[in-house]
């Protein structure tokens, strides 16, 4: 178990470094190209295409990180009202559906990656498989996270409450208890048409 925790921490750190590196490289390329174009009437011909590729990778890697931290959007109104055993059943069913969708993504990405190995991007010359391969990385990464979550839900007592817990909006989280009450009162008044 200790080995899994160390591997998880290493992969989490590597994921964060990769996302930061893609964002930094993308910013450098775009900013550098703007400066070259307006300041020196020249530019990097492959900058726009490479930035687009990096943005795709950063978005998909971010999706893996968000799943790991349970940051994807979700509606838990019904889930909160269920008893722990029912929560566990709903969690397993919903994650089994997600696993099936990830399998479809993996299958489609594998086929299109293989078919695009010979074709290259016009400006950078990179194989188009470099782009379509994001589906492979995301489906495998997310699939492993879902399997780990399912294992925790089934075999770790009390884990289901932690796994099904949705984060509140940032506005409510960052507000103090007094401010939270004022915000909720203002929302109720606004919904009712204000004070009369």
């Amino acid at each position: 178990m200790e080995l899994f925790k160390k591997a998880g921490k290493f992969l989490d750190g590597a994921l964060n470094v990769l996302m930061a590196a893609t964002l930094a490289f993308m910013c450098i390329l775009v900013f550098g190209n703007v400066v070259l174009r307006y300041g020196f009437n020249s530019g990097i011909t492959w900058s726009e295409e490479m930035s687009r590729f990096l943005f795709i990778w950063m978005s998909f890697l971010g999706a893996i990180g968000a799943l790991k931290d349970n940051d994807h959007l979700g509606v838990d109104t019904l889930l909160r009202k269920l008893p722990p055993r029912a929560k566990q059943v709903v969690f397993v069913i919903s994650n089994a559906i997600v696993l099936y969708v990830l399998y479809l993504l993996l299958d489609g990405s594998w086929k299109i990656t293989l078919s695009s190995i010979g074709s290259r991007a016009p400006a950078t010359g990179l194989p188009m498989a470099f782009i379509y391969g994001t589906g492979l990385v995301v489906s495998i990464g997310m699939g492993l996270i879902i399997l780990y979550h399912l294992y925790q839900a089934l075999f770790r007592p009390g884990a289901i409450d932690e796994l099904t817990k949705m984060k509140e909006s940032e506005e409510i989280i960052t507000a103090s208890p007094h401010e939270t009450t004022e915000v909720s009162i203002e929302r109720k008044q606004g919904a009712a048409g204000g004070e009369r």
Side-chain angles (χ1 to χ4, degrees):
M1 196 65 174
E2 190 66 32
L3 181 66
F4 283 121
K5 284 185 180 178
K6 285 183 180 178
K9 280 188 179 181
F10 173 76
L11 290 173
D12 186 35
L15 186 67
N16 290 334
V17 167
L18 272 173
M19 285 190 296
T22 53
L23 178 63
F25 192 41
M26 191 171 61
C27 290
I28 290 167
L29 282 175
V30 172
F31 181 72
N33 207 27
V34 169
V35 169
L36 287 172
R37 184 167 293 154
Y38 289 104
F40 303 98
N41 203 21
S42 67
I44 307 167
T45 55
W46 49 268
S47 170
E48 184 184 342
E49 187 173 88
M50 191 63 182
S51 299
R52 192 166 53 246
F53 291 171
L54 289 170
F55 184 72
I56 292 167
W57 273 97
M58 185 180 68
S59 301
F60 277 86
L61 291 174
I64 296 171
L67 180 66
K68 178 190 65 67
D69 295 333
N70 202 19
D71 284 338
H72 281 286
L73 290 176
V75 179
D76 65 341
T77 309
L78 173 66
L79 202 61
R80 272 192 234 168
K81 297 178 181 179
L82 295 175
R85 186 70 183 153
K87 272 186 191 178
Q88 192 177 35
V89 170
V90 170
F91 183 80
V92 168
I93 291 170
S94 64
N95 278 276
I97 294 169
V98 171
L99 272 178
Y100 177 68
V101 171
L102 288 173
Y103 163 74
L104 294 176
L105 176 63
L106 178 68
D107 184 51
S109 297
W110 178 252
K111 287 174 184 172
I112 200 165
T113 301
L114 286 179
S115 68
S116 65
I117 286 178
S119 61
R120 297 192 169 272
T124 58
L126 287 170
M128 289 307 290
F130 174 74
I131 300 307
Y132 298 126
T134 53
L136 298 173
V137 172
V138 167
S139 55
I140 292 170
M142 285 184 160
L144 291 173
I145 292 168
I146 293 290
L147 288 172
Y148 179 67
H149 285 174
L150 284 171
Y151 171 79
Q152 283 186 312
L154 293 171
F155 300 110
R156 199 180 105 209
I160 194 66
D161 288 327
E162 182 185 322
L163 291 168
T164 56
K165 187 176 177 184
M166 294 286 162
K167 294 181 180 163
E168 299 293 331
S169 72
E170 290 180 43
E171 183 180 74
I172 294 173
I173 290 171
T174 56
S176 68
H178 177 68
E179 290 171 340
T180 304
T181 307
E182 288 177 0
V183 167
S184 62
I185 290 170
E186 287 173 12
R187 283 190 182 153
K188 286 177 186 173
Q189 288 174 348
E195 291 182 357
R196 294 199 185 344

